[in-house]
Amino acid sequence: MNNVGKNIRRLRQKKGWTLVQIAEKVQVSVPAFSKIETGPTDINMSRLKQLADIFGVSILDILYDEGENPQEALHNEAAMLKAKIQEKEETVSNLQRKLIDLYEEVTKK
């Protein structure tokens, strides 16, 4: 959870907002928001979603460190798997054509 707090602080500072400004946006006290950033207070999903909306980022951008984007890694892996599936489908299609050709050759005799 400490990384989450650090990421929230980084996002707040990136926006140029003070603790007072973000606490008002989130509708909590400044000490309460400070505890979110420093780690003593665990953040729940609804608060996480609220902060993501306020910062204009995804929840994953708050959960993971900057530059560590699991969505991108999953997207790349999905693209690679789709390419492999397409390759296998082409192989199956070619084998089906060969099978049909062999069947027609055998039935002509």
Side-chain angles (χ1 to χ4, degrees):
M1 286 307 289
N2 203 17
N3 277 352
V4 171
K6 287 178 185 177
N7 291 338
I8 290 169
R9 177 181 289 139
R10 177 183 47 79
L11 289 166
R12 176 181 60 79
Q13 291 172 341
K14 210 177 215 182
K15 293 279 188 183
W17 295 338
T18 65
L19 271 173
V20 173
Q21 290 170 315
I22 190 66
E24 286 174 0
K25 291 177 187 297
V26 179
Q27 298 176 336
V28 298
S29 69
V30 173
F33 195 82
S34 179
K35 287 179 182 178
I36 290 172
E37 282 191 352
T38 56
T41 299
D42 287 341
I43 188 168
N44 62 31
M45 282 304 290
S46 61
R47 182 72 70 201
L48 194 59
K49 173 75 172 110
Q50 179 188 25
L51 286 168
D53 291 344
I54 288 170
F55 290 127
V57 298
S58 76
I59 291 173
L60 292 175
D61 291 326
I62 296 175
L63 294 176
Y64 293 94
D65 289 334
E66 198 170 18
E68 183 184 85
N69 187 344
Q71 282 181 320
E72 186 177 324
L74 290 174
H75 177 72
N76 292 340
E77 185 176 352
M80 182 183 69
L81 291 172
K82 284 180 185 178
K84 284 183 179 181
I85 289 170
Q86 185 176 0
E87 183 182 310
K88 299 296 181 190
E89 287 174 344
E90 288 173 9
T91 300
V92 168
S93 181
N94 288 336
L95 289 171
Q96 286 173 334
R97 269 188 247 117
K98 285 181 181 180
L99 184 61
I100 290 169
D101 290 345
L102 284 172
Y103 177 76
E104 288 176 354
E105 188 179 310
V106 169
T107 58
K108 285 182 185 178
K109 293 181 182 179

